[in-house]
Amino acid sequence: MYDIESALTLWLSDRMRRVLHIQSGILDFSREFLKQKEFVEILPVVISPITDPLTDHRIRGEVECYGFRYQITKSMIFHKQLSLYSLPRLYTFSPNVRIEASECRFSGKHLIEFVQLDLEVKDARREDLLNLGEELFVHILTRVKADFAAELKFFRRDLKIPSIPFRRITYSEAVESYGLDYDNKLSVSIDEPLWLLDFPEENREFYDRENPDRPGILIDMDLIYPEGYGEALSGGEREFEYEKIKRRIMRKGIDFKSYEIYLLFAQKGLLPSAGFGIGIERLTRYICGIQQIAETRMFAKLPGVLSL
Ligand code: ASN
């Protein structure tokens, strides 16, 4: 059953109103920064014959329209790549649906519908995106601190502006120090954001570029929030060569048929690029110092819970 009383209590609260003001600021400050950097905003795609495979999300959101099968967007990764034909630097605020296992409702950080600021840059290398990500984070945090001091005080949030460059470690270093479930332990152990680099191929999707000098290792990254807030951002350089894409799809055991249209474009020639996506609700959670992600937006959808 839908819990109308809890929804009303949250929506009528001073706390919620303040969260939403800060969140609106986060969107403004992101756009302000990206405009300065000559990015162009494109509109989000909600359904398409192709979406991010994210093979760990077994349930696929699908709709049938006019006899064609459309996927509900898990991420706009391929649409970002294809938009580079028109624009060299682009971003979108993209609603994504990822039907997580219902136990994830207790994690404090999973919603089945969320929005990511997803951007892509033609001819860029990972290094460029690490620098851009750092500047973007520092810009947003600095602007929130300046414009929303009263709100942050309400949340008793002493937001630190991290120093640039952020620390970088590799995936294998993280596993060595914290084990395979490094996720939480790493985030709890740091007090400034940290880049995690070089994921093994089996941990990621086929579109993150394999390092030509280190087979099996990808030129990609995650940004990890400090204080236990977990993953902030995910991205990397992209595979853009047809043969390599085909090989990666095959190694993942994915049916070529499901990426038929994408492969047609790849055959014509995709453009080299790098990019990343930042979850807006998780960023709001981190900035406000909120434990439960369900309190970071209107109509939050926790896994396994009926939501509006
Ligand atoms: N947005 C991510 C990227 O650019 C992909 C994702 O969300 N799975 O790599």
Side-chain angles (χ1 to χ4, degrees):
M1 254 314 277
Y2 183 73
D3 186 352
I4 187 169
E5 290 308 327
S6 304
L8 278 175
T9 307
L10 182 64
W11 298 348
L12 288 165
S13 68
D14 196 24
R15 186 180 163 83
M16 190 67 191
R17 190 175 47 77
R18 289 173 192 268
V19 168
L20 295 176
H21 275 271
I22 291 184
Q23 188 160 76
S24 177
I26 292 172
L27 304 183
D28 288 346
F29 306 144
S30 307
R31 287 194 167 103
E32 172 182 90
F33 174 85
L34 291 168
K35 196 179 177 92
Q36 250 173 45
K37 298 278 178 188
E38 296 176 358
F39 279 76
V40 175
E41 182 170 3
I42 61 166
L43 295 176
V45 167
V46 173
I47 56 169
S48 168
I50 52 167
T51 192
D52 196 324
L54 289 172
T55 34
D56 54 331
H57 296 86
R58 281 162 296 272
I59 310 168
R60 300 205 302 185
E62 277 187 1
V63 278
E64 206 191 290
C65 306
Y66 316 107
F68 302 114
R69 286 245 288 272
Y70 282 76
Q71 310 290 319
I72 302 173
T73 295
K74 290 189 211 166
S75 95
M76 274 177 59
I77 178 67
F78 304 122
H79 298 85
K80 288 196 301 176
Q81 264 188 304
L82 297 173
S83 302
L84 296 170
Y85 289 131
S86 285
L87 300 163
R89 297 160 82 76
L90 60 101
Y91 72 99
T92 182
F93 286 99
S94 164
N96 293 180
V97 174
R98 299 183 186 172
I99 308 181
E100 308 280 354
S102 52
E103 307 85 79
C104 293
R105 95 180 68 157
F106 304 112
S107 72
K109 56 186 180 189
H110 287 93
L111 292 175
I112 65 160
E113 178 190 59
F114 68 95
V115 172
Q116 64 169 315
L117 164 54
D118 217 356
L119 61 82
E120 199 69 21
V121 183
K122 191 173 111 181
D123 293 325
R125 309 308 300 260
R126 176 175 64 186
E127 188 63 29
D128 306 318
L129 273 290
L130 296 178
N131 296 335
L132 183 85
E134 290 172 357
E135 277 188 61
L136 172 61
F137 265 92
V138 166
H139 179 83
I140 295 171
L141 298 183
T142 308
R143 294 288 277 114
V144 168
K145 259 190 109 149
D147 283 22
F148 294 96
E151 280 74 11
L152 291 177
K153 197 161 165 213
F154 173 89
F155 289 110
R156 296 200 176 82
R157 186 71 172 138
D158 177 20
L159 202 56
K160 293 192 185 62
I161 307 297
S163 41
I164 284 179
F166 300 170
R167 192 153 74 92
R168 301 167 185 196
I169 66 168
T170 64
Y171 169 86
S172 58
E173 286 166 343
V175 171
E176 214 168 279
S177 305
Y178 301 99
L180 277 173
D181 58 343
Y182 62 83
D183 224 16
N184 231 5
K185 294 177 207 154
L186 173 61
S187 177
V188 166
S189 75
I190 52 180
D191 53 14
E192 297 235 316
L194 168 144
W195 291 111
L196 200 51
L197 309 178
D198 296 346
F199 286 83
E201 180 187 350
E202 52 289 4
N203 286 39
R204 303 284 266 220
E205 305 307 326
F206 68 79
Y207 49 77
D208 279 352
R209 181 158 178 255
E210 187 174 20
N211 190 329
D213 303 323
R214 299 177 65 199
I217 302 294
L218 308 178
I219 311 178
D220 58 0
M221 72 284 201
D222 273 3
L223 181 71
I224 309 295
Y225 287 124
E227 305 162 67
Y229 287 95
E231 183 193 314
L233 160 168
S234 200
E237 290 182 25
R238 312 303 181 190
E239 294 292 6
F240 60 96
E241 290 155 295
Y242 178 63
E243 289 304 329
K244 286 190 183 168
I245 294 174
K246 264 183 55 179
R247 258 203 315 272
R248 296 284 304 281
I249 291 182
M250 208 159 63
R251 294 213 294 253
K252 281 277 176 202
I254 296 173
D255 184 4
F256 286 137
K257 199 86 189 113
S258 44
Y259 286 97
E260 200 177 12
I261 304 179
Y262 177 66
L263 286 168
L264 288 175
F265 282 107
Q267 208 166 9
K268 293 243 178 231
L270 293 173
L271 301 164
S273 68
F276 60 62
I278 304 172
I280 296 299
E281 292 85 346
R282 288 185 180 181
L283 177 56
T284 309
R285 176 175 178 255
Y286 170 66
I287 286 181
C288 297
I290 290 174
Q291 293 312 309
Q292 181 43 262
I293 198 150
E295 295 167 12
T296 62
R297 60 168 291 163
M298 293 299 291
F299 316 116
K301 295 176 180 69
L302 286 174
V305 178
L306 179 63
S307 319
L308 204 61

